[in-house]
Amino acid sequence: MKIKILGTRGKIEPKAEDHVNHTGFLIDDKILVDVGEEKYMDKQPKAVVFTHFHPDHAFFVPNKEKFIPKIPLFGPETHDLIPQLKVIAGKFEVEGYTFTPIPVIHALRLKSLGYIIEKAGKRIFITGDVAWIEKANLADLPPLDLVITEATFIKKGGRINRKKDRIFGHTGVPNLIRLLSPLTKKIIFCHYGEWFFEDTPHNSKQKIKALEEEIPLVVAHDGMEIEV
């Protein structure tokens, strides 16, 4: 599989060269996972799969525009702006790729899913935004060739909010490394928060690389391509 990371900036104001666009992942020029920028649809994907419906993952949400391209659209829950959306209830196939949804804790009022994507013996995991993933949802997974996850907060613990018995927000990069490293050969980080832009991108990348121990950690930029 060839994965193109179209955007690496979270829902924040700061930006830098090579870190301008919001979230989108293009799989083999066929399947688009999240549409943080309208221009991503110029890639003419054959299907779109959403992790959740925050504006930096679904560009049409802030202006309440209908999203009605004539291709299959998949997501974790119904949405008023996507009348033909197929709500994901379990493992599904599209364009020869198998998607296994993984429940992810992130937002208070929105459902979130990550996806194991498989084809020709290769497996990648796109987590989407993460406050946490219950370890039971990661148990018994086959070995992964690659995990793509977020880096909203570099500090351990990130920023986790609590309301009664629920948590929401973004965990920290060190927590994600500890959780995901046993599952994969490599982790790619994107979806950077404000911390990333407080220094030069080079120095911020080094802060992530400094956490590297057992497996490679890759710091993505807009337009980065990787093959597995």
Side-chain angles (χ1 to χ4, degrees):
M1 277 187 281
K2 180 182 73 175
I3 304 98
K4 189 168 186 177
I5 299 174
L6 302 177
T8 53
R9 184 165 64 107
K11 189 176 179 291
I12 56 173
E13 289 299 322
K15 62 180 71 172
E17 186 178 5
D18 294 331
H19 305 287
V20 174
N21 297 326
H22 295 300
T23 302
F25 308 98
L26 188 62
I27 312 297
D28 287 333
D29 297 320
K30 292 181 180 179
I31 300 176
L32 187 56
V33 178
D34 287 339
V35 195
E37 306 283 350
E38 184 175 7
K39 63 186 176 182
Y40 295 168
M41 295 306 296
D42 294 342
K43 305 289 185 183
Q44 299 184 326
K46 298 183 181 298
V48 174
V49 182
F50 291 95
T51 61
H52 65 294
F53 294 115
H54 276 161
D56 53 332
H57 297 255
F59 74 89
F60 48 87
V61 169
N63 294 329
K64 298 183 179 180
E65 307 167 12
K66 292 284 187 179
F67 186 66
I68 49 175
K70 295 180 179 180
I71 56 175
L73 306 172
F74 302 85
E77 59 188 343
T78 59
H79 199 288
D80 291 343
L81 299 176
I82 317 175
Q84 75 271 43
L85 184 77
K86 299 179 182 181
V87 176
I88 296 164
K91 185 181 291 189
F92 65 100
E93 292 192 6
V94 57
E95 292 293 322
Y97 299 80
T98 300
F99 280 69
T100 301
I102 304 294
V104 173
I105 300 167
H106 168 52
L108 182 61
R109 296 181 180 87
L110 295 177
K111 186 175 181 181
S112 299
L113 292 173
Y115 301 101
I116 307 289
I117 305 170
E118 301 180 58
K119 188 174 184 181
K122 299 294 185 180
R123 301 183 187 91
I124 69 170
F125 180 21
I126 297 177
T127 70
D129 294 359
V130 181
W132 196 241
I133 305 174
E134 297 291 356
K135 291 183 180 179
N137 292 322
L138 299 176
D140 303 321
L141 290 181
L144 303 171
D145 296 288
L146 177 67
V147 170
I148 303 175
T149 192
E150 62 135 312
T152 303
F153 292 99
I154 189 67
K155 65 180 182 180
K156 184 178 180 180
R159 182 180 296 166
I160 301 298
N161 307 295
R162 297 182 183 275
K163 187 168 185 179
K164 296 183 179 179
D165 60 344
R166 298 185 64 187
I167 67 168
F168 56 101
H170 301 264
T171 193
V173 168
N175 307 82
L176 289 166
I177 293 171
R178 188 179 73 250
L179 179 68
L180 299 169
S181 289
L183 307 175
T184 186
K185 299 176 182 178
K186 182 184 295 185
I187 299 176
I188 295 182
F189 286 96
C190 51
H191 196 281
Y192 307 122
E194 292 185 357
W195 73 271
F196 188 87
F197 302 94
E198 290 170 354
D199 201 341
T200 66
H202 173 78
N203 290 343
S204 297
K205 291 174 184 178
Q206 293 308 306
K207 291 178 182 178
I208 293 178
K209 293 293 289 183
L211 300 172
E212 187 174 274
E213 292 183 357
E214 296 182 1
I215 64 170
L217 305 179
V218 178
V219 186
H221 58 78
D222 292 5
M224 175 181 278
E225 293 187 7
I226 190 164
E227 291 197 27
V228 296

